[in-house]
Amino acid sequence: MNPAEFEYYRAGSLDEAHRLLKSHPGAKLLAGGHSLLPLMKLRLARPSAVVDIGRIAELKGISFKGDTLRIGALTTHAEIASSGDVALAAPALAEAAAWVGDQAVRNRGTIGGNVSHADPASDLPTVLVAAGASFVVVGPRGERTTEAADFFQGLMQTSLADDEILTAVLVPAVKQDEGAAYVKFSHPASRYAVVGAAAFVTAPGGTCEAARVAVGGLVPRPIRAASVESALAKQKLSPETIEKAAAQVGKDLGDDLLGDIFASAEYRRAVAAVYVKRAIAAAADRIRR
């Protein structure tokens, strides 16, 4: 199916992109196109205009600012997956990026487009919520930074205003005595996450000092599993402790679970603890001494 008619503009700078958004109410931003264009072809999105920001150089690249990894919004999944800096500082993010779609999708799709689309079955939002990442957003009112947990607000809903542009993702680097991992139950056709789990654990001497666990795929937006995190606190990270803690995830999921013909909501709820356990165990095995 072809999309409805729309006007196309290519922005050469952030300022130009903002001017185009202001002069074309209802316009949508285009980065890699792997989120927006399928919706347009299905007529689920019918913007009057598309503003292509894919060639704005200042939105690309990976760099360090102190102990924080700064990833430009137009950085592709392939670039994230192959980056030595990301592998060192944010291994769970590199892992998740390598599992996005296929190679063609990873070569064109961007981290900014992915998180702005806020598909509940995406991998990166779950990792970024667990990592304690934050997003840099620029609009007519200036620049602001928002926590990943606050950025995602519902099924394909974010805190971005229509006239704002996500410019960068800030990810705290994994520290000493901390390990991180992402695992998922992958749909065999789309490779989207039926259930995804990310875990960051800090355990000097093998005792859990802090834990951040997030789940996605089966909920409208990625959420922190507070009950799991509490169950891990001050505990030795033994297989038994991890399994008992992971079993608590049902308390955090609520009743608004997603399901489809491939995997019902009830089935996803049942297997969530399995993937949370695997994520925690993998993170514990990767703790940096």
Side-chain angles (χ1 to χ4, degrees):
M1 182 179 291
N2 294 320
E5 289 187 5
F6 62 93
E7 296 181 354
Y8 171 84
Y9 300 92
R10 178 184 293 166
S13 66
L14 268 178
D15 286 343
E16 185 180 4
H18 281 124
R19 288 197 299 270
L20 288 167
L21 288 177
K22 183 178 180 179
S23 59
H24 298 279
K28 293 290 186 181
L29 294 175
L30 176 69
H34 284 279
S35 298
L36 177 62
L37 293 182
L39 290 181
M40 292 175 63
K41 289 181 178 181
L42 292 171
R43 305 292 179 99
L44 297 176
R46 302 183 65 167
S48 59
V50 169
V51 178
D52 186 347
I53 60 172
R55 300 191 184 187
I56 301 178
E58 63 188 290
L59 299 182
K60 300 180 180 181
I62 300 169
S63 60
F64 276 102
K65 185 177 181 180
D67 294 331
T68 299
L69 195 64
R70 184 188 187 281
I71 304 175
L74 292 183
T75 306
T76 67
H77 305 309
E79 290 168 336
I80 294 169
S82 63
S83 167
D85 287 339
V86 178
L88 179 65
L93 181 60
E95 194 167 42
W99 286 345
V100 173
D102 55 27
Q103 190 63 50
V105 171
R106 293 191 292 273
N107 285 342
R108 291 289 299 171
T110 65
I111 186 171
N114 180 281
V115 300
S116 297
H117 185 56
D119 191 317
S122 292
D123 302 300
L124 304 192
T126 303
V127 176
L128 294 171
V129 167
S134 55
F135 300 156
V136 181
V137 175
V138 177
R141 294 162 295 282
E143 181 178 286
R144 65 182 178 90
T145 301
T146 181
E147 298 296 319
D150 298 323
F151 181 83
F152 301 107
Q153 298 193 335
L155 185 68
M156 296 184 178
Q157 295 179 327
T158 73
S159 63
L160 271 177
D162 290 340
D163 56 1
E164 289 183 317
I165 299 174
L166 173 67
T167 60
V169 176
L170 308 178
V171 187
V174 172
K175 301 176 178 61
Q176 186 176 351
D177 295 319
E178 184 179 19
Y182 174 72
V183 301
K184 69 172 178 176
F185 173 13
S186 179
H187 191 289
S190 66
R191 299 189 70 183
Y192 276 116
V194 177
V195 175
F200 289 69
V201 293
T202 303
T207 298
C208 183
E209 185 178 271
R212 301 188 306 276
V213 180
V215 291
L218 74 166
V219 281
R221 63 183 179 92
I223 59 170
R224 288 277 293 272
S227 298
V228 177
E229 296 170 354
S230 296
L232 289 172
K234 308 303 180 184
Q235 301 296 315
K236 285 286 186 181
L237 291 177
S238 66
E240 294 77 18
T241 297
I242 292 173
E243 184 170 8
K244 289 180 181 178
Q248 303 301 309
V249 71
K251 299 178 180 178
D252 302 307
L253 295 177
D255 298 323
D256 189 16
L257 298 187
L258 305 178
D260 54 33
I261 192 171
F262 177 76
S264 68
E266 292 76 14
Y267 179 76
R268 295 179 195 224
R269 180 189 290 275
V271 301
V274 175
Y275 287 87
V276 170
K277 179 180 73 174
R278 292 178 183 177
I280 298 170
D285 286 342
R286 297 174 182 176
I287 290 175
R288 294 179 178 171
R289 306 299 183 187

